[in-house]
Amino acid sequence: MPLSFRLALFYFTFFLYAGAYVAYFPAYLAARGLGAAEIAWVIALPAFGRMIAPTAWGALADRTGWQRGIVVFACVANAACFALLPYMPGFGAIAWLIAGTSALAAAALPLVEAITLGALAERPGRYGPVRVWGSIGFIGAVLGGGAWLDLRSVESLPAALTVCAAACVAVALCLPAGAKHAAQKAGPLVIGRPAQALLAAGFCMSAAHGALYAFFTLHLQREGYSGAAIGLYWTIGVLAEIVVFLYLPTLFRRCALSTILVASFACAVVRFLAIGWAAALPAILLPAQLLHAATFGAFHAASVAAVQRVFPPEAQGRGQTLFSSVCYGAGGAVGALLAGWAWETAGPALAFSLSSGIALTGLLLAHTLKRAGL
């Protein structure tokens, strides 16, 4: 099989699994009898894993050249986790299973990104067409999963996740082997004020999405939406994300990074208020989901580019790893836990209003980056 096909196939199968997990796993946990706070804890556990585990696995992969082997191991861990999930008796057992699996499997996607970028080094323009198959897989999962759950119980989800993870194992075996790198000495990482503001803003944006990733499906179920409709609204967000990625070169030429970041946070403030208070109205929910283009797509691209500006060339790898840990690790975990507390205290309106408030804090932090010339 051609290299690009193998890489694209992995992204497709991995995000097929990820889409089903993100969109429908909270509903599965609710069907198992877990409360809002317990669901939030389980959803937060993989984010806690992303704070440390990818860096440790990445160091091992660089020193040994076992990139492909570690990816295969991570996918096997995911498949075993969801095969065992129906037999876990309650919250404690489920939490321990997800926590252990998160530590073992957290490096799968970062290492595949490294394999892909290395394999396509002489053809960097091929990355976009390869990576977009991940978004297509995600869309397939949320659309197909919604239609499936209209016909079958959500308790069938672990079987579907097991099949998807097993497919990832098969495809991962066909990936190129990684390269071994000699260990290099590096000086201490200096984090200046612009870098501090960027890290804090990234933390806020990820935390603001906590209610969305933990409770969006449950929120729409409460409002009477069908499984197919819920899958469609998830899909709308991903399609908007794809569109903004396609137009990123033009966006970056016309706008400063700080402007893109500030605009992304402004969209997040509006988006989460709309979802929290008016999700029952499709005329409001549709544009709110389209704003995913800004709150994830534009923000992610601009923030990664900003990391390159605020950290020196010799610290690019550590800067990106630190941003990922603070933003998608710590921010994701804290956001899920806060959303669980707010949902259990007063329901979806408070949970999504809290998300909007966190986004407003991020907007103020992002605005300070203008003074840094970003």
Side-chain angles (χ1 to χ4, degrees):
M1 290 185 291
L3 174 60
S4 294
F5 178 82
R6 285 180 283 153
L7 294 169
L9 187 59
F10 181 87
Y11 282 117
F12 178 84
T13 54
F14 184 87
F15 280 97
L16 193 68
Y17 148 80
Y21 177 89
V22 169
Y24 303 114
F25 192 54
Y28 169 80
L29 296 175
R32 289 287 305 270
L34 274 66
E38 292 172 329
I39 292 172
W41 267 107
V42 174
I43 297 301
L45 288 171
F48 280 121
R50 286 194 293 271
M51 292 171 62
I52 300 173
T55 302
W57 283 114
L60 177 63
D62 281 346
R63 291 175 181 273
T64 62
W66 294 347
Q67 284 92 332
R68 179 175 59 194
I70 293 173
V71 172
V72 171
F73 175 78
C75 295
V76 169
N78 277 330
C81 168
F82 291 106
L84 292 172
L85 186 60
Y87 305 101
M88 297 297 104
F91 165 68
I94 291 173
W96 277 109
L97 179 64
I98 295 297
T101 303
S102 298
L104 296 176
L109 187 58
L111 287 181
V112 170
E113 294 277 42
I115 290 172
T116 300
L117 292 170
L120 301 179
E122 297 180 0
R123 298 175 294 162
R126 289 293 302 157
Y127 176 78
V130 168
R131 181 61 177 79
V132 75
W133 282 96
S135 297
I136 294 171
F138 192 100
I139 289 171
V142 295
L143 277 180
W148 174 260
L149 293 178
D150 280 340
L151 303 173
R152 301 288 297 270
S153 167
V154 73
E155 292 187 7
S156 64
L157 181 66
L161 291 173
T162 302
V163 171
C164 292
C168 287
V169 175
V171 178
L173 290 168
C174 301
L175 292 174
K180 182 177 179 179
H181 302 283
Q184 297 180 349
K185 292 184 178 179
L189 182 62
V190 178
I191 306 175
R193 287 190 176 181
Q196 293 172 15
L198 180 61
L199 291 170
F203 175 93
C204 288
M205 184 61 93
S206 193
H209 281 73
L212 182 81
Y213 293 135
F215 296 114
F216 184 64
T217 295
L218 294 174
H219 183 31
L220 296 193
Q221 285 179 334
R222 275 191 172 193
E223 296 293 345
Y225 288 91
S226 67
I230 293 170
L232 177 62
Y233 279 110
W234 277 105
T235 299
I236 288 168
V238 181
L239 287 174
E241 165 194 324
I242 292 173
V243 171
V244 82
F245 278 137
L246 293 175
Y247 285 93
L248 274 178
T250 301
L251 185 64
F252 279 7
R253 283 196 302 268
R254 294 182 176 180
C255 302
L257 294 178
S258 57
T259 300
I260 297 173
L261 292 172
V262 168
S264 297
F265 277 108
C267 289
V269 172
V270 174
R271 181 189 185 193
F272 296 128
L273 282 176
I275 292 174
W277 292 92
L281 303 173
I284 300 295
L285 186 60
L286 174 60
Q289 281 301 91
L290 288 174
L291 289 178
H292 191 70
T295 66
F296 176 77
F299 171 80
H300 176 75
S303 59
V304 169
V307 168
Q308 289 185 307
R309 302 268 191 94
V310 300
F311 287 97
E314 67 274 11
Q316 287 298 303
R318 286 176 290 165
Q320 295 287 357
T321 300
L322 179 63
F323 181 81
S324 179
S325 296
V326 171
C327 178
Y328 299 113
V334 170
L337 294 178
L338 286 175
W341 167 81
W343 183 282
E344 204 162 63
T345 300
L350 177 61
F352 283 97
S353 295
L354 181 60
S355 290
S356 183
I358 295 171
L360 180 60
T361 302
L363 187 154
L364 298 175
L365 290 165
H367 185 72
T368 67
L369 294 172
K370 288 183 176 293
R371 294 195 295 269
L374 286 178

